[in-house]
Amino acid sequence: MRLALDQARLAARGGDVPVGAVVLAADGTTVLATGHNEREAGGDPTAHAEVLAVRRAAEAIGEWRLTGCTLVVTLEPCTMCAGAITQSRVDRVVYGARDDKAGAVGSLWDVVRDRRLNHRPEVVEGVLAEECSGLLTEFFRDR
Ligand SMILES: [Zn+2]
């Protein structure tokens, strides 16, 4: 999560909402890929930290299935990212702050644990939550 927080800070530097993500390999420690929000930087509405990190992780291992992998992200994923998570088959999602306005991993929706889907990753929430949400609060206060 520390690494994801560093990524979030990079996003803010480029004018993007500070959200950062990391994909860990099946061993739980090897970093396969990182990503931060690049919506403003790239003019891409789908360039969320999680989508970029998942894409890069798949590139890194040369396979779209991220079985055994863990996605760590500073903010609760939105519906699009929750979709990307289920599609990528990551086995674990770890996030920091909850997103009461758009969260799709427990707040507004719980897409990744929907029993109608056949792939449901384990979810761990609230890791360094205060630090993760603090970055966001700071970012929006400065605007
Ligand atoms: Zn998202």
Side-chain angles (χ1 to χ4, degrees):
M1 188 58 86
R2 293 267 170 229
L3 193 52
L5 277 161
D6 289 344
Q7 284 292 314
R9 290 186 190 97
L10 288 177
R13 219 169 292 161
D16 270 290
V17 176
V19 179
V22 174
V23 176
L24 301 172
D27 66 6
T29 51
T30 305
V31 174
L32 285 179
T34 58
H36 58 265
N37 200 359
E38 292 183 31
R39 213 162 38 166
E40 300 292 341
D44 177 357
T46 69
H48 286 192
E50 302 94 308
V51 168
L52 295 175
V54 159
R55 272 192 197 141
R56 288 169 188 155
E59 267 172 40
I61 63 169
E63 142 95 88
W64 67 266
R65 282 184 201 84
L66 301 180
T67 308
C69 295
T70 300
L71 173 76
V72 182
V73 58
T74 57
L75 180 66
E76 181 182 351
C78 70
T79 46
M80 173 183 72
C81 293
I85 286 163
T86 61
Q87 292 302 320
S88 71
R89 310 283 195 270
V90 297
D91 278 335
R92 203 165 301 102
V93 178
V94 178
Y95 71 84
R98 276 176 84 97
D99 185 352
D100 293 325
K101 289 186 185 128
V105 184
S107 293
L108 285 189
W109 299 277
D110 200 353
V111 173
V112 304
R113 285 175 291 193
D114 190 312
R115 292 189 172 278
R116 291 167 293 187
L117 295 174
N118 59 13
H119 179 78
R120 295 188 298 273
E122 176 195 346
V123 175
V124 179
E125 65 166 269
V127 177
L128 299 179
E130 276 182 31
E131 208 169 319
C132 293
S133 65
L135 271 184
L136 291 160
T137 309
E138 210 174 290
F139 178 82
F140 287 112
R141 193 184 48 217
D142 293 346
R143 302 239 120 186

